[in-house]
Amino acid sequence: MKRFTLLLLAGMILTATAATAAAPYANNRAPLREKPLVKLPLGAIRAEGWLHDQLQRQADGLTGHLDSIYPEVMGPRNGWLGGDGDVWERGPYWLDGLLPLAYILDDRQLIEKTRPWVEWAIRSQRPDGYFGPAEDRPFESPAIQRDNARDWWPKMVMLKVLQQYYTATGDERVIKLMTGYFRYQLRELPKTPLGHWTFWGEQRGGDNLGVVYWLYNITGDEFLLELGDLIHRQTLDWTGIFAGGEVLATPFSLHCVNLAQGIKEPVVYYQRSNDPAHVGAVKKGFADIRRYLGFPTGLYGGDEALHGAAPTQGSELCTAVEMMYSLEEMTEITGDVQFADHLERVAFNALPTQATDAYDARQYYQQINQVMITDHRRNFQESHDGTDILYGLLTGYACCTSNMHQGWPKLTQNLWYATHDGGLAAMVYAPCRVTAEVAGGARVTIAERTHYPFDEQIRFEVTIDSRKIKSAAFPLRLRIPGWCEGATVAVNGETAASPAKGSVAEIERTWRTGDVVTLRLPMRIAVSRWYEGAAVVEHGPLVYALRIGEKWSKVANPGKQIYGPWYYEVRPTTPWNYTLFEEDIRPDRIAEAFKVERRDIGDAYPWTLENAPVEIKARGRRLDEWTLYQESAGPQPYSTNETNNPAEEITLIPYGCTTLRITEFPVTRDLRKNW
């Protein structure tokens, strides 16, 4: 007996709240609104294929060795280890990525690296409930932050670390610590509000609020709801900002990372308010970001303040990983396909290119049109002695060195969710394996075999993990992206349905070991228009950019030692100043004008210029008047009909495979043909 239905999870009316035989993972307690999706314990999802390779590169690179590579901050002097050094965000930032990476990889050496930090944080709690560093010390160096020890903001990051640690270990000391600390907050916030020490806590209060609700679902302590209301009132009014619309349209009005973190706060509070206006405001906010600031990667111009949509403005690495975390939280709370689509866009485009393949260096800002990576001042709102787009350890600003690590591990943790009715849901796709309980208490493993986002097919192989139980009845839900027309779902080779784009397909049946679900998501070329009418080529969840030859140089820092001892510069070895043809991007011509070529790269790491698994061949034309400005691609000409250069074949590859690139192309007409 089987049944196949389609539904949109965001519209479901849900009633259950606690873990039951029908729903093994606890959901929101009343009066919080029921979530359609519930995050699985840390370690339930294991990366495979290219994603496992990506996580292992982190473990072998900066994430696994930051204590020895960056000892002035992550060494024993760190205040979060009881030392007299850095007491602010950077230590917790590192742990917020290192800890989930360690448990997802089940890497005992990395787990042991996290242990002193976790243990010190727990043992630091005082009788009044406060925890963490408490003593401010005199300025020593711009490389470490020894003041604002009691600021609310760094504690929010460490709360997220401890939350993840609890889901992996069940250590009840975390519950005791959080209960004591939240009682402390309830007493102290009326006197010293979130913005008392710095504005970071006031603008990032959604991180604090999310952990308060998480603890409430475990303990049921009523005071946590009161605290949540207080935190919401003291946090910047993100709902009003997004609903009003004026702030996002105003240059330099917000910090880029604060926007990425703050955008989830209305949705987090929606669990308490049950007011759709909170979700509606966030969706309006995303629409306004697209209108005034948007980049095709799902991010926006912010270097560091909001700075428009020109493709040579910067986008900070912290913005990428924090926006991903916000979208992960919003997907769980609402089940909305739009948020999961957006998450994939950031993860599979912006994230891979902003760190080196060996994970030994990173950029502070990336550019959508990025043609020269050199030590040079560019048109950024905040320019750090010209080091902002260099690949280095501390180039630009050091916050990203500490915060970059959460991106891939948390994406892995959010590939699958438990559902409110005892099922499982795949809301983001990548090669992995999930093991979880389903309705009736059966334990199942689903292996997700795919080369997505480069490939159209995803294969789910079901195993019932019990000798006694031969079958399990539960719903399996699969997201159908908003960009996908003609998706199909087959069970054991039999086509079940062709679900609509932007929906969630549900397969409800009694499953047995050996059952296979095949999801096919056809990817077609699309062309979208961005800054000054520039054209962007897309294929499924991926944005494509011009393949540009690269020459890398490792340069010893000539004297700006705050930015690290060395950095990488990258210069082009092939032309970059191409336009696309207006005739080729007409909807009726796209399929003919752009040719997709897939490459079998085997088990090779895909996010490189050489290993790009997909190429798109197209026509382009050199535009002589488009030249460098401040060692960036100069302002894009809006009208480019003047050039008489001949058409050439150009190659586009996934944005995430590039270092140098043109992504937003000016458009020219082919005056020699009568179309």
Side-chain angles (χ1 to χ4, degrees):
M1 178 68 178
K2 63 185 178 182
R3 181 170 64 88
F4 185 92
T5 59
L6 298 179
L7 50 96
L8 187 63
L9 289 180
M12 294 180 66
I13 299 175
L14 306 170
T15 55
T17 56
T20 65
Y25 299 97
N27 207 304
N28 277 343
R29 288 177 181 261
L32 298 184
R33 178 184 175 87
E34 177 90 274
K35 296 180 293 187
L37 305 172
V38 179
K39 197 166 295 183
L40 293 166
L42 183 60
I45 305 165
R46 303 291 187 188
E48 296 189 343
W50 71 258
L51 183 57
H52 182 274
D53 188 359
Q54 180 69 64
L55 296 183
Q56 191 59 53
R57 286 167 184 261
Q58 282 195 239
D60 296 339
L62 287 177
T63 309
H65 297 88
L66 205 59
D67 51 342
S68 58
I69 295 172
Y70 191 24
E72 59 266 44
V73 170
M74 300 308 175
R77 284 191 63 194
N78 191 283
W80 285 93
L81 292 172
D84 66 346
D86 198 288
V87 298
W88 212 52
E89 67 184 7
R90 295 183 196 178
Y93 265 162
W94 180 40
L95 268 288
D96 199 25
L98 175 65
L99 188 138
L101 177 70
Y103 281 98
I104 289 170
L105 290 178
D106 195 22
D107 186 318
R108 306 316 300 179
Q109 185 176 359
L110 292 186
I111 290 172
E112 287 304 311
K113 282 200 176 192
T114 69
R115 198 173 304 281
W117 298 80
V118 170
E119 291 296 326
W120 188 88
I122 292 174
R123 293 197 305 268
S124 73
Q125 188 160 41
R126 300 185 174 194
D128 64 358
Y130 179 86
F131 84 104
E135 181 180 349
D136 287 350
R137 293 181 171 88
F139 175 83
E140 177 182 301
S141 160
I144 60 176
Q145 295 169 280
R146 304 176 82 211
D147 59 349
N148 291 322
R150 285 184 168 266
D151 189 6
W152 299 108
W153 158 237
K155 278 75 170 177
M156 298 181 196
V157 186
M158 188 55 78
L159 287 170
K160 292 192 298 174
V161 174
L162 295 174
Q163 176 188 19
Q164 295 173 93
Y165 169 72
Y166 177 83
T167 72
T169 66
D171 189 335
E172 290 295 327
R173 295 179 299 164
V174 172
I175 305 304
K176 180 181 178 182
L177 177 141
M178 287 188 181
T179 300
Y181 178 67
F182 288 147
R183 290 191 184 278
Y184 171 84
Q185 277 200 304
L186 187 60
R187 292 193 307 270
E188 295 297 319
L189 282 176
K191 297 177 288 184
T192 53
L194 292 177
H196 177 78
W197 281 281
T198 69
F199 69 89
W200 305 106
E202 180 181 45
Q203 298 202 13
R204 300 174 177 183
D207 290 57
N208 201 151
L209 183 62
V211 182
V212 168
Y213 288 157
W214 175 82
L215 183 64
Y216 171 74
N217 290 328
I218 295 174
T219 67
D221 289 336
E222 294 288 334
F223 84 90
L224 293 168
L225 297 177
E226 181 183 355
L227 174 61
D229 291 343
L230 177 60
I231 290 171
H232 174 68
R233 291 195 300 270
Q234 290 192 0
T235 300
L236 186 68
D237 180 17
W238 290 106
T239 303
I241 285 173
F242 299 138
E246 296 85 0
V247 174
L248 293 179
T250 303
F252 315 122
S253 57
L254 291 169
H255 187 273
C256 57
V257 184
N258 286 347
L259 174 57
Q261 293 186 257
I263 202 163
K264 68 177 171 288
E265 196 278 342
V267 176
V268 174
Y269 189 65
Y270 168 63
Q271 298 172 96
R272 169 71 158 151
S273 71
N274 204 27
D275 184 351
H278 285 110
V279 178
V282 169
K283 290 196 170 188
K284 183 180 185 302
F286 276 120
D288 285 345
I289 289 172
R290 170 67 170 90
R291 180 177 300 114
Y292 300 117
L293 307 160
F295 288 162
T297 56
L299 298 175
Y300 44 84
D303 49 31
E304 294 171 354
L306 302 187
H307 198 181
T312 52
Q313 298 308 145
S315 178
E316 188 178 327
L317 178 51
C318 283
T319 301
V321 296
E322 293 293 356
M323 180 59 82
M324 286 175 60
Y325 177 67
S326 289
L327 290 163
E328 289 155 1
E329 294 296 289
M330 291 189 286
T331 297
E332 179 188 3
I333 291 167
T334 67
D336 197 308
V337 170
Q338 176 181 329
F339 296 137
D341 284 356
H342 200 141
L343 171 59
E344 283 194 350
R345 181 171 283 262
V346 177
F348 296 148
N349 294 288
L351 186 62
T353 187
Q354 211 155 353
T356 56
D357 300 337
Y359 228 78
D360 66 338
R362 89 295 175 269
Q363 286 182 299
Y364 187 54
Y365 302 142
Q366 65 173 279
Q367 295 172 301
I368 298 298
N369 285 356
Q370 182 169 276
V371 299
M372 184 88 76
I373 296 176
T374 51
D375 186 351
H376 195 281
R377 285 185 178 270
R378 290 169 170 80
N379 188 40
F380 300 143
Q381 181 270 335
E382 190 70 45
S383 185
H384 300 85
D385 291 331
T387 69
D388 301 277
I389 68 170
L390 297 168
Y391 285 91
L393 175 64
L394 303 174
T395 45
Y397 194 72
C399 59
C400 294
T401 304
S402 305
N403 195 25
M404 63 189 283
H405 314 281
Q406 65 171 308
W408 290 115
K410 288 186 181 177
L411 180 75
T412 305
Q413 174 66 9
N414 286 273
L415 295 174
W416 286 86
Y417 298 91
T419 63
H420 71 104
D421 52 1
L424 292 172
M427 294 296 288
V428 175
Y429 300 118
C432 66
R433 179 184 299 267
V434 60
T435 299
E437 289 187 22
V438 294
R443 189 173 178 83
V444 303
T445 294
I446 301 178
E448 184 175 339
R449 313 288 191 194
T450 186
H451 293 292
Y452 189 92
F454 308 105
D455 192 19
E456 298 178 344
Q457 181 170 292
I458 307 168
R459 178 182 168 96
F460 304 93
E461 302 171 356
V462 179
T463 301
I464 310 299
D465 296 333
S466 173
R467 293 182 179 179
K468 296 180 179 179
I469 301 174
K470 302 299 183 183
S471 63
F474 64 92
L476 175 65
R477 294 188 172 95
L478 307 173
R479 163 182 144 266
I480 309 302
W483 50 259
C484 182
E485 296 275 7
T488 59
V489 180
V491 180
N492 297 330
E494 179 186 346
T495 300
S498 299
K501 66 178 182 179
S503 67
V504 175
E506 179 186 280
I507 311 165
E508 186 173 321
R509 61 176 274 135
T510 298
W511 301 91
R512 297 180 181 276
T513 295
D515 283 342
V516 175
V517 177
T518 304
L519 173 64
R520 185 171 177 273
L521 300 173
M523 298 178 184
R524 297 182 174 88
I525 298 288
V527 176
S528 53
R529 306 302 289 265
W530 294 80
Y531 184 76
E532 294 280 13
V536 172
V537 177
E538 305 181 31
H539 186 237
L542 298 181
V543 171
Y544 280 70
L546 178 69
R547 178 198 288 273
I548 300 175
E550 304 168 358
K551 180 182 178 181
W552 286 68
S553 303
K554 190 172 183 178
V555 179
N557 191 322
K560 306 173 185 177
Q561 293 305 314
I562 189 175
Y563 302 112
W566 57 269
Y567 50 77
Y568 293 113
E569 292 190 332
V570 189
R571 289 176 169 81
T573 61
T574 56
W576 56 264
N577 53 343
Y578 285 95
T579 71
L580 294 180
F581 286 94
E582 182 178 322
E583 294 80 5
D584 291 349
I585 65 174
R586 292 192 333 224
D588 61 327
R589 279 270 303 157
I590 288 176
E592 178 184 349
F594 296 88
K595 299 300 182 183
V596 177
E597 298 181 0
R598 300 185 182 278
R599 305 169 62 219
D600 183 3
I601 65 168
D603 295 328
Y605 180 68
W607 301 107
T608 71
L609 188 72
E610 298 77 17
N611 295 342
V614 185
E615 297 180 345
I616 297 176
K617 302 296 184 180
R619 291 195 312 156
R621 184 159 63 184
R622 292 279 303 279
L623 184 63
D624 296 332
E625 66 193 74
W626 193 17
T627 59
L628 289 174
Y629 170 73
Q630 293 185 322
E631 299 202 5
S632 293
Q636 290 174 245
Y638 184 79
S639 176
T640 62
N641 293 338
E642 298 80 9
T643 183
N644 289 313
N645 288 337
E648 302 176 41
E649 182 181 78
I650 60 174
T651 300
L652 311 181
I653 61 174
Y655 181 101
C657 299
T658 67
T659 301
L660 304 180
R661 56 186 165 261
I662 291 295
T663 313
E664 296 191 16
F665 288 87
V667 177
T668 185
R669 293 184 61 198
D670 189 347
L671 300 179
R672 293 170 297 177
K673 288 192 176 183
N674 182 11
W675 296 96

